Amino acid sequence: MDRRSFVRGSAGIAGTVALGGLASAQDDEVIRIGSDIPYNPFEYRTEDGTLVGFDVDVAEAVFAGQMDREYEFVQTGFDTIIPSLNNGNFRIIMSAMTINDERAQQVDFSEPYFLAFQTVAVLESGDVSSLDDLRGQTVAVQKGTTGEAAAEELQSEFDGDLSIDSYDQIPGAFNALLNGQAAAVINDNAVNLQYTDEQDEVVMLEGEGEAADAFESAPDYLTLTVEEYGIAFRQDDDEFRQQVDEALAAVIESGRYAEIYREYFPGDPPRSILERGGGTTTETDAGTETDGADETDAGGATTTESA
């Protein structure tokens, strides 16, 4: 099978293991990875059913390339993905998951491996040209995501004058936008930008936001939050988490992470991520740079037209 196959190698899944001994028992087993699919460009299937995406390729580099382990992606709903992890249905979560305090009370996270923003996608022909235009309207989000949390924060800012429709998967939210059931989709910038590339009638809501406060070079679309993605682990799996962090750092340091990044996003990865792998810095006329990413830059995926 190629490196983007759904299951790496020919090994099957071992029998069910009691949760109490799961960490040690899984040391020689296929690593089961919980993931919400589809979530293009992070994890999605091609027409022939092949699982591809940024997370998929990073998993291949980390688990197969660095750790010499076999792994399998397990499709699961995002709104139940943390309970499923803690119930032992899989060993880790790798699903464009934002690190935040609420989730950190339930799981442990790897070092960050991606920088993201919550953004707003709208119809080009619609009447929404600023965030305030969403007052009294309906926004579509995916259940259990930080996009849903950002919408709830906006609802609070509008004193309740905003309706939120939550969908099991993000395609449902975009369908609601196209069908006139919602005025906007609030979701991760990489996924929103992927959709605007595919649908000419959908555009990003422009404006300044959180990214403009954090970076000198920020995207021209509105950003509601600045977030980092991490791999999630059960809180009793510290040794494995440390092993994965070491392997992830090696993938970044080797340059393989940047290669994968450029396959899915324009430009170079953010400096903050490259530094996780001990990326080198060079002095240039334009200032200090790290492997092609300016230290004040939000990164290729966050400052250009597609992510």
Side-chain angles (χ1 to χ4, degrees), residues 11-254:
I13 302 302
T16 302
V17 182
L19 184 58
L22 192 58
S24 60
Q26 282 190 335
D27 284 346
D28 296 321
E29 291 179 6
V30 174
I31 299 168
R32 291 167 60 85
I33 304 171
S35 193
D36 175 55
I37 305 165
Y39 200 67
N40 190 352
F42 291 93
E43 40 269 328
Y44 61 102
R45 291 193 178 92
T46 61
E47 291 184 1
D48 65 3
T50 302
L51 185 66
V52 298
F54 177 78
D55 279 346
V56 179
D57 285 1
V58 171
E60 170 70 12
V62 170
F63 300 114
Q66 287 294 322
M67 300 179 68
D68 195 25
R69 296 287 299 275
E70 293 185 342
Y71 63 90
E72 178 181 35
F73 276 84
V74 180
Q75 183 169 342
T76 188
F78 198 83
D79 58 331
T80 60
I81 202 167
I82 288 180
S84 292
L85 170 71
N86 287 328
N87 286 336
N89 294 331
F90 31 82
R91 190 161 191 183
I92 64 172
I93 297 169
M94 198 164 182
S95 189
M97 176 170 278
T98 297
I99 300 169
N100 62 30
D101 292 341
E102 180 181 356
R103 290 169 180 164
Q105 294 177 6
Q106 306 171 71
V107 299
D108 287 338
F109 283 102
S110 69
E111 291 293 327
Y113 71 96
F114 194 84
L115 186 68
F117 307 136
Q118 288 305 312
T119 56
V120 183
V122 298
L123 292 177
E124 186 174 29
S125 60
D127 57 1
V128 177
S129 59
S130 70
L131 197 61
D132 198 62
D133 290 335
L134 290 175
R135 288 182 182 273
Q137 306 223 45
T138 298
V139 297
V141 300
Q142 184 177 4
K143 290 179 182 177
T145 64
T146 50
E148 184 177 53
E152 290 169 351
E153 178 67 23
L154 186 62
Q155 185 182 57
S156 178
E157 291 178 16
F158 287 172
D159 296 323
D161 195 17
L162 178 74
S163 297
I164 302 171
D165 286 348
S166 300
Y167 294 83
D168 290 334
Q169 293 185 321
I170 197 61
F174 284 116
N175 286 339
L177 175 64
L178 292 172
N179 294 333
Q181 298 169 294
V185 172
I186 297 179
N187 195 49
D188 293 352
N189 63 310
V191 178
N192 273 0
L193 285 164
Q194 183 74 33
Y195 203 82
T196 61
D197 281 348
E198 297 171 353
Q199 298 285 340
D200 292 339
E201 61 266 47
V202 180
V203 297
M204 300 291 280
L205 184 62
E206 295 183 355
E208 294 187 351
E210 294 298 314
D213 293 335
F215 307 101
E216 289 184 12
S217 177
D220 58 4
Y221 49 80
L222 181 69
T223 53
L224 303 179
T225 65
V226 177
E227 304 175 353
E228 294 176 317
Y229 292 170
I231 302 169
F233 301 78
R234 286 189 298 277
Q235 293 180 331
D236 62 354
D237 210 1
D238 289 345
E239 183 177 355
F240 184 60
R241 175 176 53 81
Q242 292 169 5
Q243 293 170 357
V244 172
D245 267 336
E246 291 173 1
L248 179 59
V251 170
I252 295 171
E253 186 172 9
S254 72

Side-chain angles (χ1 to χ4, degrees), residues 232-305:
F233 301 78
R234 286 189 298 277
Q235 293 180 331
D236 62 354
D237 210 1
D238 289 345
E239 183 177 355
F240 184 60
R241 175 176 53 81
Q242 292 169 5
Q243 293 170 357
V244 172
D245 267 336
E246 291 173 1
L248 179 59
V251 170
I252 295 171
E253 186 172 9
S254 72
R256 178 62 187 138
Y257 174 89
E259 292 175 358
I260 296 170
Y261 188 98
R262 294 182 192 111
E263 288 184 28
Y264 295 94
F265 314 112
D268 294 316
R271 174 175 178 152
S272 61
I273 301 300
L274 293 178
E275 286 179 339
R276 307 291 183 191
T280 58
T281 60
T282 58
E283 293 292 334
T284 70
D285 291 339
T288 303
E289 297 183 351
T290 302
D291 292 351
D294 189 278
E295 65 177 339
T296 58
D297 198 336
T302 56
T303 59
T304 57
E305 294 180 352

